[in-house]
Amino acid sequence: GRTSDLTAGSSGASDTPVLFFSRRIGLNNGRPVPIRAGGRVTGKAGRYTLGLLNIQSDDDAISSSVATNFSVARVKRDLGRRSYVGGIYTRRSVTTNGAGVGETFGIDSLYSASPSLNVTAFYARTRTPELSGRDTSYRALFDYNTDRYGAQFDHQYVGTNFNPEVGFLRRRDYKQ
């Protein structure tokens, strides 16, 4: 099947990092956090798909939360019928450990020559206070899959300090 991009809901249960995971907003320590205000704009114009989100949460003593701003910008350009190139930026004004601003920058692409031949790649970097170096993640995947034959080549890396504050990371510090 077709491989996915960098946003939640499309990566299944793999170890591939998700750079934007909407459930990171509005919950802390498993408890709801009050939302002051927010807005979201999504749409498609020609070959471009755009998504912008900005949400401001409030202080909450019960969940031990401080007021936090969440921002996400995603742009994707279609290349033909089945291929694309895209970029994403996320920002959390207060990191989960309270150390300051956490940011993520990423680019991704899918080249799909046919439904059975897909090449996917992404590169992402995070900026988190008190963490430096080994803050990148990348993946290159070649997938050829027909009814009778298939081949897959996959290389993925997640650094020790890769920390997508508005995303989801199942594991870190590995290469496969």
Side-chain angles (χ1 to χ4, degrees), residues 40-44 48-53 72-76 87-89:
R40 177 179 70 171
V41 175
T42 60
K44 190 164 176 96
Y48 290 90
T49 304
L50 180 67
L52 302 170
L53 175 128
V72 179
R74 169 84 167 139
V75 65
K76 189 164 79 167
I88 190 168
Y89 169 76

Side-chain angles (χ1 to χ4, degrees), residues 25 53-55 69-73 89-93 166:
I25 302 170
L53 175 128
N54 189 279
I55 295 178
N69 182 266
F70 298 88
S71 300
V72 179
Y89 169 76
T90 71
R91 182 179 188 276
R92 182 177 176 145
S93 67
V166 187

Side-chain angles (χ1 to χ4, degrees), residues 4 7-9 22 24 36 38 40 42 46 49 52 57 61 70 84 89 107 111 113 118 120 133 137 141 155 168:
S4 62
T7 57
S22 62
R24 295 290 302 236
R36 269 193 217 161
R40 177 179 70 171
T42 60
T49 304
L52 302 170
S57 69
F70 298 88
Y84 71 82
Y89 169 76
I107 57 172
Y111 172 71
N118 296 288
T120 306
S137 178
L141 170 66
H155 179 73
F168 178 76

Side-chain angles (χ1 to χ4, degrees), residues 3 118-121 139-143 152-155:
T3 53
N118 296 288
V119 179
T120 306
R139 182 180 193 190
L141 170 66
F142 171 88
D143 185 26
Q152 193 175 71
F153 302 97
D154 190 0
H155 179 73

Side-chain angles (χ1 to χ4, degrees), residues 89-107:
Y89 169 76
T90 71
R91 182 179 188 276
R92 182 177 176 145
S93 67
V94 179
T95 60
T96 51
N97 67 4
V101 175
E103 296 176 297
T104 302
F105 308 87
I107 57 172

